[in-house]
Amino acid sequence: NIRDHSKFGLRFVQSISATLLILMISYYVFPSLYLGRGVLLFTVICATVGVFFWRIIYRSIVKGNQLNERVIILGTGAFAREIAREIRDRGDSGFEVIGHIDEQNKESKT
């Protein structure tokens, strides 16, 4: 999904930018933290590559549903259906709806 990839890219750039800003402020406030020429750039490049590949691996694990918790929703009303729809629409929620229990204690599968 292009929307998911663009959100991922935007969040990734935001996180790297925030990290750089924090490091720049830290180096300004505490000049004794100076590491030497090129160390910051090398660290940022390594961290960027590492975080990028970690996010790809993490997303594949989450999208693959290997870690999902199976849940049964109590109720079959509009609110219960809305919760089930939200869980199904969000592939990374960590939950898998396997059914509903209605008011008469009869189980219905979704």
Side-chain angles (χ1 to χ4, degrees), residues 16-39:
I16 296 300
S17 300
T19 303
L20 280 173
L21 183 65
I22 290 169
L23 284 173
M24 288 188 304
I25 291 170
S26 299
Y27 288 140
Y28 182 78
V29 173
F30 304 105
S32 61
L33 292 177
Y34 180 73
L35 296 174
R37 282 190 98 122
V39 175

Side-chain angles (χ1 to χ4, degrees), residues 27-69:
Y27 288 140
Y28 182 78
V29 173
F30 304 105
S32 61
L33 292 177
Y34 180 73
L35 296 174
R37 282 190 98 122
V39 175
L40 178 62
L41 179 63
F42 178 73
T43 303
V44 168
I45 290 171
C46 288
T48 302
V49 170
V51 168
F52 181 76
F53 284 116
W54 165 249
R55 289 296 298 168
I56 289 173
I57 292 168
Y58 173 78
R59 286 173 59 95
S60 68
I61 290 171
V62 169
K63 292 285 184 184
N65 298 330
Q66 288 95 343
L67 304 176
N68 279 358
E69 184 80 26

Side-chain angles (χ1 to χ4, degrees), residues 65-73 87 94-99 107 109:
N65 298 330
Q66 288 95 343
L67 304 176
N68 279 358
E69 184 80 26
R70 296 168 45 137
V71 295
I72 296 176
I73 297 178
I87 290 172
F95 297 105
E96 176 186 356
V97 177
I98 59 170
E107 192 173 325
K109 295 192 176 198

